[in-house]
Amino acid sequence: MERSTTGPSPGVSPPAPGAPLPDGTAAAAPPVLAGLLDGIPRQRGAAPPAPAGPPSRPLSRPWRPLHLLPTPAGTPFTFAYTAVLAVTSLVAALAHPGLVHALHQESSTDVAHLVRAPVPVLLASALWVAGGLLSPYALAFVLVLTALERRAGALRAAGVFLAGHVLATLATEGPVGLAVLTGHLPGSSLHRMDYGISFGVAASTGALAGLLRPWLRWPLLALVAGALVDGLLAYTDPLTDWGHLIALAIGVSAWPFVRGRRRPA
């Protein structure tokens, strides 16, 4: 069966505009089409499509120096901790030397204090900066902890710092206690003064290296480890120097932990 269509007969042209029709009306002009169908290629009057240019590259984020410093919203842990260290550093700088020495002594993580009250003394020892806010450790604390917290978050940054501070302290003071028990060190070694944030800073540095690009990660680790080994070879304070190396290794071992949830820098 053929499909039938309805419409004007072929060869019959439509009446001219204005011509009289059988019903007495005049023929109207046909509407002007704005354009042909979209599916017809090379439409008359349509502009050819513009050639596709190279893909646009995302604009690089401008470098902001203030991004290196802690802020209450961006790095709450580092900001609050820095404020506490600023207060204790002012106390150490302005208070009577005898009072400052007594505070440091009560905050010391020596074997005697660790055996008697481990948790309070571990927390108290992390409230002081050896040398004050102008010391290299204070500057490293601000820069390293800010960068680590911006990339890994407050909880992970705090966990790495605390792990380095606590584990490196126990790893260095434990052998001292054993050496005193076995007679290899005098009993005065149980009261060795030990306080500060350096172990936590070393661990945070090791953890931050795992979040950097390889061209920056390995030179940073080599530079920090070389400085720590050089201090150990000088044999001025071997117990503390060993603690710094242990803390750096703790930070490196925390790479899977800090990489678990990356934040934009």
Side-chain angles (χ1 to χ4, degrees):
M1 178 183 297
E2 296 182 357
R3 180 177 299 172
S4 62
T5 60
T6 59
S9 301
V12 179
S13 60
L21 297 177
D23 59 358
T25 60
V32 179
L33 298 179
L36 301 179
L37 295 177
D38 294 338
I40 301 178
R42 297 186 180 180
Q43 303 179 42
R44 293 193 301 271
S56 59
R57 299 178 60 184
L59 297 177
S60 59
R61 186 176 300 176
W63 182 69
R64 293 173 292 177
L66 293 179
H67 208 60
L68 301 175
L69 300 178
T71 58
T75 55
F77 168 70
T78 307
F79 184 85
Y81 203 162
T82 302
V84 172
L85 293 177
V87 173
T88 58
S89 297
L90 287 176
V91 171
L94 302 177
H96 189 275
L99 175 61
V100 174
H101 178 76
L103 291 175
H104 287 169
Q105 185 113 32
E106 288 301 318
S107 304
S108 174
T109 51
D110 52 49
V111 177
H113 282 114
L114 288 174
V115 171
R116 187 167 64 247
V119 174
V121 75
L122 282 168
L123 295 177
S125 65
L127 300 179
W128 304 95
V129 182
L133 284 180
L134 300 180
S135 67
Y137 287 121
L139 179 61
F141 171 87
V142 172
L143 296 179
V144 171
L145 262 294
T146 299
L148 179 61
E149 185 172 356
R150 288 194 186 279
R151 289 164 173 78
L155 292 179
R156 283 178 170 81
V160 169
F161 184 91
L162 186 62
H165 176 70
V166 172
L167 297 180
T169 298
L170 297 178
T172 51
E173 294 295 340
V176 173
L178 294 176
V180 172
L181 287 177
T182 56
H184 291 84
L185 287 176
S188 59
S189 299
L190 297 177
H191 304 278
R192 172 183 172 274
M193 185 78 76
D194 186 15
Y195 65 90
I197 59 172
S198 60
F199 290 170
V201 172
S204 301
T205 304
L208 176 62
L211 301 178
L212 302 177
R213 296 183 182 276
W215 65 267
L216 185 58
R217 175 189 310 153
W218 303 116
L220 174 63
L221 284 178
L223 181 63
V224 174
L228 297 180
V229 171
D230 184 68
L232 183 61
L233 295 177
Y235 212 75
T236 54
D237 191 357
L239 199 62
T240 300
D241 293 330
W242 272 115
H244 290 152
L245 284 172
I246 294 172
L248 183 67
I250 292 172
V252 172
S253 67
W255 285 0
F257 174 68
V258 297
R259 288 171 175 172
R261 171 180 167 269
R262 298 286 297 276
R263 293 177 55 184

